[in-house]
Amino acid sequence: MALAAVPLILLGAGASTFLLAAAAFVAGVASEFFTVVWETVHNTHVPERLLSRVGAHDEFWSFVPVPIGQLSTPALAAAFGTAAVAVTGGGVAAVVMLVPLLVPSLRRIEINRNGET
């Protein structure tokens, strides 16, 4: 998912339209791959009785930062410039998306093909 931040960084760096489009395509492919893996792990490792609750928390905590970013970006852009905000925001997003890799159990999550978790 950290690849999803690359187009924002490139936008702030003043990349060409072609490079932005290519980066957005790669980010979209990576995002869809992540979505398939995430849903598979979610539906395999979360007990059926908790699927709705876990899914609700997943959605809620995934979208809480969106309005915060939308409300703070104009003020930050006025203070630091749009390019700096785009590059910094993309960098912060990439780092935040890589933080879960610090958890060993998340790096080695497995799916048993016999239907057992």
Side-chain angles (χ1 to χ4, degrees):
M1 276 304 294
L3 288 175
V6 172
L8 185 57
I9 294 169
L10 291 175
L11 181 67
S16 69
T17 303
F18 177 77
L19 191 55
L20 283 170
F25 177 78
V26 171
V29 170
S31 179
E32 288 308 309
F33 176 78
F34 171 81
T35 300
V36 170
V37 171
W38 176 253
E39 289 300 323
T40 301
V41 168
H42 178 256
N43 287 301
T44 303
H45 289 280
V46 176
E48 187 175 347
R49 64 184 175 76
L50 297 175
L51 279 174
S52 179
R53 183 174 299 165
V54 171
H57 276 282
D58 174 36
E59 291 293 316
F60 178 78
W61 293 110
S62 293
F63 290 106
V64 161
V66 173
I68 295 169
Q70 290 174 333
L71 292 171
S72 64
T73 299
L76 291 171
F80 301 106
T82 55
V85 171
V87 171
T88 303
V92 168
V95 169
V96 167
M97 288 185 256
L98 291 171
V99 165
L101 292 176
L102 297 174
V103 180
S105 61
L106 292 178
R107 287 194 312 263
R108 294 188 304 267
I109 205 160
E110 294 181 17
I111 297 176
N112 186 340
R113 297 187 186 269
N114 296 326
E116 301 171 11
T117 57

